[in-house]
Amino acid sequence: MSGGALQDDNELVEMLRQGSVAAFETLYKSYWDKLLNAAYKRLSDLELCEELVQNIFVKIWEKREVLQINTGFSNYLHTALRYSVIDHYRKRLTEENYLSFRSSSADADNSTEDNIILNDLKRYLEKLIDQLPDKCRSVYQLSRAEHKTNKEIAQLLNISEKTVEGHLTKALHALRSGMADYLPLAVLIFLKKNM
C-alpha cells in the first residue's frame, strides 16, 4: 500500500472516530473483499467468512470512538481477522471435544457430572454479577431474580425507566462477555437435559 493510501486510511479512521458514516463505508468497501479473501484462505467456508468479516466491521463501528490503531488500518483488520479465526477454531474444538466426550460415554449416567458443571457455571455467573457496579447489580437482581418490571425498579430505586434500561443493557453485556467462552458448554448440557 502506498504512503498516500496509508495517509488516506488514517484520515478516514479519524473521521470514523468522529462518527462519519461515509468514512466507515469507504473503509468497508476498500477492505471487505481483501479481508473476505484472507478469511476464505484459512477457513474455506464462504458463509462463515462473511459472518466473521461482518462481525469485525460491526465491532469497529461500535467501538469507533475509542479505536486505537497504531499499525495502520490494514494491519489492524488482518490482526482482528487472525484472532477471529483462532477464536472460531477454539470454540469449534471445545464443542467437538464435548460432543466426542458425550458420545463416548452415551451409555453412562453423567447427570452428576452435568450438575457439577452447571453448578460451576452458576457460581461463575454469580461471581460476574458480584463484579457489576452497585447500581447496575441492584437493577439486574431486581429484574432477573425478583422479576420486577422496569417501571417497578425505577420506582424502587428512584431513577428513570431509561436509566433502568441502561443498567440492564450494561449488565447483560458484561455477563454475556464474561460467559462467552462457557455458553456452548452450557447450551449443550441444557439441550441434553431437555431432550
Side-chain angles (χ1 to χ4, degrees), residues 93-161:
L93 186 62
T94 301
E95 290 169 8
E96 285 174 359
N97 285 343
Y98 181 76
L99 290 173
S100 173
F101 168 77
R102 296 303 310 156
S103 64
S104 68
S105 57
D107 295 334
D109 178 13
N110 291 320
S111 60
T112 303
E113 261 180 67
D114 290 347
N115 287 334
I116 290 169
I117 293 169
L118 286 174
N119 285 332
D120 287 345
L121 289 171
K122 184 178 176 186
R123 277 193 296 276
Y124 182 68
L125 178 61
E126 288 167 356
K127 181 180 171 189
L128 290 174
I129 292 168
D130 288 341
Q131 292 172 355
L132 292 171
D134 291 341
K135 192 72 99 171
C136 195
R137 183 175 61 246
S138 297
V139 168
Y140 176 82
Q141 288 173 328
L142 286 169
S143 173
R144 297 308 192 258
E146 298 183 29
H147 309 290
K148 302 276 188 207
T149 66
N150 288 2
K151 187 174 185 177
E152 291 170 329
I153 296 169
Q155 290 171 346
L156 278 170
L157 299 179
N158 198 24
I159 55 177
S160 72
E161 286 186 58

Side-chain angles (χ1 to χ4, degrees), residues 1-7 9 31 34 73-74:
M1 183 178 282
S2 71
L6 182 60
Q7 182 63 34
D9 280 355
Y31 286 100
K34 295 173 191 170
F73 192 67
S74 178

Side-chain angles (χ1 to χ4, degrees), residues 166-183:
H167 282 305
L168 280 175
T169 300
K170 183 178 178 180
L172 292 172
H173 177 73
L175 296 177
R176 265 196 301 269
S177 296
M179 293 294 291
D181 291 338
Y182 302 98
L183 281 179

Side-chain angles (χ1 to χ4, degrees), residues 14-15 17 20 23 29 35 41 46 67 73 79 87 92 98 122 127 132 146-147 158-159 161 177 181 183 186 192-193:
E14 189 52 43
M15 292 167 61
R17 280 194 196 101
S20 169
K29 288 175 186 172
L35 216 54
K41 286 177 187 173
L46 185 59
L67 272 181
F73 192 67
T79 300
D87 192 47
R92 195 173 81 183
Y98 181 76
K122 184 178 176 186
K127 181 180 171 189
L132 292 171
E146 298 183 29
H147 309 290
N158 198 24
I159 55 177
E161 286 186 58
S177 296
D181 291 338
L183 281 179
K192 177 188 171 247
K193 286 182 171 288

Side-chain angles (χ1 to χ4, degrees), residues 20-34:
S20 169
V21 174
F24 176 78
E25 288 175 351
T26 301
L27 290 166
Y28 184 91
K29 288 175 186 172
S30 296
Y31 286 100
W32 173 266
D33 287 336
K34 295 173 191 170

Side-chain angles (χ1 to χ4, degrees), residues 13 17 63-71 76:
V13 168
R17 280 194 196 101
K63 298 178 184 293
R64 65 191 174 278
E65 294 173 2
V66 294
L67 272 181
Q68 293 296 321
I69 300 176
N70 303 318
T71 59
Y76 179 87

